[in-house]
Amino acid sequence: LDHCAEEIKSFLGPIKKILFVPYALQDWDSYASKTRERYAKMNIEAESIHAFGDPKHAVQNAQAIHIGGGNTFRLLKKLYDEDVLDAIRTRVREGMPYLGASAGTNVATVSIKTTNDMLIVYPPSFDALNLVPFNINPHYVDADPDSAHQGETREQRINEFHEMNDTAVVGLREGAMLRI
């Protein structure tokens, strides 16, 4: 979060406590610890959703939420398993600040159909939080015209998505931030 710490502090304003969702990685404790340490440098307390006995209650009482990166399919499946999608969606629509990184960005959109991740588990649906009326492709990079390989590009994959879907897709470059 070093590259965007000032933007995060600006976005959160007076908020001094954030609920972190580590579900996109397997080792929730380590991920939460690392995130707590980084937020502490911003004078913000980060509590991990997995430390609460009732994740839905944790969302309902959060001042802000940060959903971390990792595997988008793992993340969305766990959000469905814990039945917190509606609670997150409701709180954000009521004005609770939402921060997403990588997979956390993917689940903020209409669906996770434009993730770069491997399908390692099956969520009940690819439908996500629908906090914005478009999809995002995080870590978007342009093709290297000097590459001898000339393999598939993100642009080609997004064009394939549009052959079957009408949802707009924003290519979010590495290290970039979209603030809504």
Side-chain angles (χ1 to χ4, degrees), residues 29-57:
D29 290 332
S30 292
Y31 197 11
S33 177
K34 181 178 177 182
T35 302
R36 257 192 310 280
E37 289 172 15
R38 184 58 189 95
Y39 270 108
K41 293 178 184 177
M42 293 185 269
N43 295 314
I44 297 170
E45 181 184 352
E47 297 180 302
S48 184
I49 194 169
H50 82 283
F52 290 85
D54 183 348
K56 193 181 295 186
H57 183 67

Side-chain angles (χ1 to χ4, degrees), residues 136-167:
I136 296 176
N137 177 247
H139 313 291
Y140 184 89
V141 293
D142 291 314
D144 179 0
D146 297 325
S147 170
H149 173 59
Q150 296 297 319
E152 297 89 4
T153 66
R154 294 313 311 155
E155 181 181 10
Q156 287 171 304
R157 291 293 185 220
I158 291 169
N159 284 334
E160 288 174 353
F161 171 80
H162 282 130
E163 290 171 1
M164 306 298 289
N165 300 273
D166 294 328
T167 305

Side-chain angles (χ1 to χ4, degrees), residues 14-133:
I15 292 171
K16 294 297 179 191
K17 188 181 281 191
I18 193 163
L19 181 66
F20 178 64
V21 179
Y23 295 157
L25 293 183
Q26 182 145 346
D27 187 349
W28 299 340
D29 290 332
S30 292
Y31 197 11
S33 177
K34 181 178 177 182
T35 302
R36 257 192 310 280
E37 289 172 15
R38 184 58 189 95
Y39 270 108
K41 293 178 184 177
M42 293 185 269
N43 295 314
I44 297 170
E45 181 184 352
E47 297 180 302
S48 184
I49 194 169
H50 82 283
F52 290 85
D54 183 348
K56 193 181 295 186
H57 183 67
V59 169
Q60 292 166 339
N61 291 293
Q63 295 175 27
I65 191 165
H66 175 163
I67 299 184
N71 185 280
T72 305
F73 296 99
R74 180 194 323 247
L75 170 60
L76 187 59
K77 181 179 185 315
K78 186 65 175 172
L79 292 173
Y80 272 107
D81 290 349
E82 295 296 339
D83 191 29
V84 294
L85 285 165
D86 285 336
I88 294 169
R89 187 180 302 114
T90 298
R91 290 299 319 288
V92 172
R93 289 184 177 156
E94 291 172 349
M96 178 181 70
Y98 178 100
L99 289 144
S102 191
T105 301
N106 284 325
V107 298
T109 68
V110 175
S111 78
I112 64 166
K113 292 179 182 178
T114 54
T115 181
N116 298 324
D117 297 330
M118 289 191 167
L119 181 58
I120 63 171
V121 294
Y122 289 98
S125 170
F126 292 156
D127 293 340
L129 288 165
N130 199 16
L131 301 176
V132 294

